[in-house]
Amino acid sequence: MNVSTVNQSDCPDVTVPFPIFFAIGVVSLAENLLVVVAVIRNRNLHSPMYCFICSLAAFNTIASLTKTCENLMIVLAENGHLQKKGSSETKLDDVIDSLLCMSFVGSIFSFMAIAVDRYITIFHALQYHNIMTMQRAGVILAVIWTTCGVWAVLMVQFFASKFIMICFVAFFFISLAFICFLYAYMFMLARSHAREIAALPGSMRGALTLTILFGVFVVCWAPFFLHLTIIMVCPLNPYCECYRSLFQLHVVLMMSHALIDPAIYAFRSNELRHTFRKMLLCSEWRQCS
């Protein structure tokens, strides 16, 4: 998905060396795969919240893998090993773009699912296990992954349309508004139910973890969507072109989101951190149990 434009301003394009892209992609891929495996193997983590976190990590894994492959293709094309406009290369590029779009949309939906789960945990604690069952969590995840897959294919096929780009950018900002509203509502209710919430161990800690995750997501992805917005609003303005010259930095920041999330999981969750330690330090899982 080519969202960069020819720079016609006095601001030179900022380029990022391929090893940096590759290192971020490989490390984030390993981290998120570790999260997915940890949630699958530890039965104590078999809960709706960790299923949604696992889904978020899986989408991050896809993003890391596909972006690393895309950067590798660019290097191979620049060295004459691939055709930049060959039919097979174009089809592979469309697949990569579809997977990147799916990972982004999936991350948004996963954040929404985690936010709703935290809301039910805090304010409907007694009915939580009846409302948010593992079966319902599975149905929610199936809907999320199916929707994201279909949406991603359609967006890549019709991304040249300005209407589709507008919808893509609007989805980002509307999703941010929805999640921010839900956060504000949760913390307003938390103030009026402080005593009841204090009796729920770990509930507000989970909400705070989600807040940190979402804050990192916004910081990492917002510059990229500002880039898309500028392309639509002021494609020829020299000041806008100066901002667009930083496109590769925006991509690095976008990729860093998948790198930072697992560190937040490990820092905020004792159970997940303990599982990581057992997986990394023990040769056999059964010997560590």
Side-chain angles (χ1 to χ4, degrees):
M1 186 187 306
N2 185 11
V3 293
S4 59
T5 56
V6 177
N7 185 4
Q8 298 178 349
S9 70
D10 294 330
C11 301
D13 288 329
V14 176
T15 58
V16 177
F18 171 74
I20 294 179
F21 282 114
F22 187 77
I24 293 175
V26 171
V27 174
S28 60
L29 175 62
E31 287 181 346
N32 284 282
L33 280 176
L34 189 64
V35 173
V36 173
V37 174
V39 173
I40 292 174
R41 299 190 68 171
N42 189 343
R43 293 184 178 181
N44 294 332
L45 299 176
H46 291 183
S47 66
M49 183 190 74
Y50 279 105
C51 286
F52 297 140
I53 287 178
C54 185
S55 174
L56 178 60
F59 281 119
N60 284 339
T61 300
I62 293 173
S64 301
L65 181 61
T66 52
K67 196 61 188 175
T68 302
C69 290
E70 184 181 52
N71 291 329
L72 184 59
M73 285 178 59
I74 293 174
V75 171
L76 292 175
E78 290 177 349
N79 287 276
H81 300 293
L82 286 177
Q83 298 180 33
K84 293 185 177 180
K85 296 298 182 180
S87 59
S88 58
E89 287 81 6
T90 300
K91 291 179 181 178
L92 181 57
D93 187 59
D94 287 341
V95 171
I96 289 174
D97 289 340
S98 297
L99 291 174
L100 285 173
C101 286
M102 185 179 75
S103 64
F104 163 72
V105 176
S107 296
I108 285 285
F109 281 139
S110 296
F111 276 120
M112 289 183 180
I114 297 172
V116 172
D117 178 81
R118 288 297 85 194
Y119 173 81
I120 297 173
T121 301
I122 296 173
F123 301 107
H124 300 280
L126 297 179
Q127 297 83 25
Y128 174 80
H129 293 291
N130 294 325
I131 298 174
M132 189 61 74
T133 63
M134 287 295 291
Q135 290 78 9
R136 288 179 179 173
V139 172
I140 292 171
L141 289 176
V143 171
I144 288 176
W145 281 82
T146 302
T147 302
C148 292
V150 174
W151 194 341
V153 171
L154 293 176
M155 289 187 66
V156 170
Q157 291 296 321
F158 301 102
F159 197 78
S161 169
K162 190 173 183 179
F163 174 75
I164 296 298
M165 187 181 290
I166 292 173
C167 291
F168 191 45
V169 174
F171 170 76
F172 175 73
F173 289 108
I174 291 173
S175 300
L176 292 190
F178 171 78
I179 298 177
C180 289
F181 172 79
L182 187 57
Y183 282 164
Y185 185 64
M186 277 197 295
F187 285 106
M188 286 176 60
L189 286 179
R191 294 185 61 183
S192 60
H193 296 80
R195 292 184 179 179
E196 294 87 344
I197 294 174
L200 301 174
S203 61
M204 289 307 295
R205 181 178 178 83
L208 182 58
T209 300
L210 176 60
T211 304
I212 296 172
L213 287 170
F214 184 65
V216 170
F217 177 82
V218 173
V219 170
C220 291
W221 280 87
F224 174 77
F225 277 88
L226 181 57
H227 179 94
L228 295 183
T229 304
I230 285 176
I231 289 177
M232 295 184 295
V233 175
C234 55
L236 300 178
N237 187 292
Y239 295 103
C240 294
E241 291 190 2
C242 279
Y243 182 82
R244 289 200 297 273
S245 68
L246 304 175
F247 177 70
Q248 289 197 17
L249 292 180
H250 303 158
V251 175
V252 168
L253 193 59
M254 185 175 66
M255 292 177 64
S256 298
H257 169 247
L259 184 71
I260 298 171
D261 272 4
I264 298 174
Y265 305 147
F267 179 75
R268 300 291 301 176
S269 172
N270 292 329
E271 185 68 33
L272 195 56
R273 187 166 59 249
H274 180 62
T275 305
F276 287 160
R277 189 179 300 115
K278 291 168 70 175
M279 292 173 60
L280 294 174
L281 299 181
C282 298
S283 57
E284 294 185 8
W285 179 265
R286 292 182 179 178
Q287 293 179 358
C288 303
S289 300

